[in-house]
Amino acid sequence: MKRKVLIIYTGGTIGMEKDYESGSLKAFDFSTIASRIPEINLLDCDVTLSQFSIPLDSSDVGPEHWTAIAKIIEGNYEDYSGFLILHGTDTMAYTASALSFMLKGLRKPVILTGSQLPIGDLRTDAKENLLTSLYYASFYDGDEAVIQEVALYFEYKLLRGNRCIKASAENFDAFKTPNYPILGQSGVNLEADRNILYRAPKDEAFNVDLHISKKVFLIWIFPGMNLNELESFIKASEIKVLILRVFGSGTFFSDKNIENILLNIRANGTEIVIISQCISGEISIGKYDNSNIFKRIGAISGGDLTAESALTKAMHLIENPHYTESFGTLFQKNLRGEMSN
Ligand code: ASP
């Protein structure tokens, strides 16, 4: 049986070409993709294209677009074997993370890819990324999809979407999952490590939960930072979750004035989540005395979450009427393979 893949083209370098007058990269009409990569017609799957009316640089992609993509997948879920999202690389890790939380009980592959060089460039990475992603999006063992999660394919590697960071603005090998192994490699054979792939709980039916709140804010802590205005800012902008990207395994200033500011923020009903500035490793509250402040103020550990995953998880969970457990309990649970237990 021929598998069917729906390509959702959102924009990014992969769909751009050089405008020879201005010298800048501009989006081209993506419906002409098959004439640019005729190999698409040789694949053992049928491909249909759905595209955003205006292709976006991914720096303009946000919650509205995550919702739009999730709705397209929901509306086409039964008709396709897999989904391939073509997306700019700059915020691809955010979109992948957000979708992983919005798509519950997923049993089909949702693959994101893009490229560092436009498709028309002689040295482009777009062709390989696109063609192999289509393979992964239609990779089945009999009736069962091998990939049943939101994953990102780039430069011969398949990675868990909500574990990804964009690690290089220049290398073809642009994405990393520092706290999780690579899900699959494309060499002579297409491989996937079946022992580490995500599987939704058996009793969880496919269901799209579009809830995404914008009342989340993230701050990168740095030595000597002035946090005096933080409380009034959090109050005025009605932030419900404040994510602090703190030092190392979870250390922070011992200054009592700053502790009081954070206590007041908590007393006003805002959750405080702690994640690390380090690329790999995890938060360990209590390891150093300078992390005990987080016990005293009732902060939530983000474990080994990436910033992209912590942000989108908080956006999805805060004030979400579809969950009954508290934000803190849910946030510290591994919902879609995004964090280690
Ligand atoms: N600025 C582009 C984007 O993220 C970069 C890329 O696609 O690689 O849309």
Side-chain angles (χ1 to χ4, degrees), residues 67-207:
T67 307
I69 297 169
K71 279 187 182 164
I72 295 174
I73 294 174
E74 184 177 33
N76 290 283
Y77 190 74
E78 294 307 329
D79 298 333
Y80 288 89
S81 332
F83 300 85
L84 171 59
I85 303 163
L86 300 179
H87 195 289
T89 56
D90 290 345
T91 69
M92 198 187 290
Y94 291 87
T95 301
S97 298
L99 288 174
S100 76
F101 298 115
M102 295 164 98
L103 306 175
K104 231 177 150 178
L106 195 60
R107 297 280 186 293
K108 294 184 176 181
V110 173
I111 315 288
L112 288 100
T113 199
S115 66
Q116 293 282 60
L117 283 177
I119 224 156
D121 193 293
L122 274 182
R123 295 178 48 250
T124 191
D125 52 334
K127 209 164 165 176
E128 203 286 319
N129 286 349
L130 176 61
L131 291 173
T132 307
S133 294
L134 281 170
Y135 271 106
Y136 273 118
S138 53
F139 189 18
Y140 271 66
D141 278 340
D143 284 342
E144 204 186 312
V146 174
I147 313 300
Q148 303 188 12
E149 60 183 283
V150 178
L152 191 154
Y153 180 78
F154 222 84
E155 188 64 6
Y156 304 105
K157 289 194 212 84
L158 186 75
L159 304 166
R160 175 158 300 157
N162 55 27
R163 293 278 196 162
C164 279
I165 55 166
K166 183 176 178 183
S168 173
E170 211 168 290
N171 295 344
F172 285 141
D173 187 11
F175 288 90
K176 303 245 173 295
T177 51
N179 283 328
Y180 204 72
I182 293 164
L183 301 182
Q185 302 252 28
S186 133
V188 174
N189 296 311
L190 199 63
E191 284 170 13
D193 183 346
R194 284 163 174 77
N195 299 318
I196 58 165
L197 295 172
Y198 176 77
R199 286 293 183 266
K202 290 225 156 34
D203 58 347
E204 199 175 83
F206 175 65
N207 154 259

Side-chain angles (χ1 to χ4, degrees), residues 289-301:
D289 194 30
N290 271 42
S291 65
N292 286 326
I293 171 176
F294 298 125
K295 280 188 197 157
R296 296 193 290 274
I297 67 166
I300 299 161
S301 166

Side-chain angles (χ1 to χ4, degrees), residues 44-64:
D44 199 20
C45 63
D46 286 326
V47 173
T48 310
L49 179 68
S50 157
Q51 47 185 331
F52 276 16
S53 49
I54 302 170
L56 298 170
D57 186 289
S58 75
S59 46
D60 278 327
V61 173
E64 297 76 16

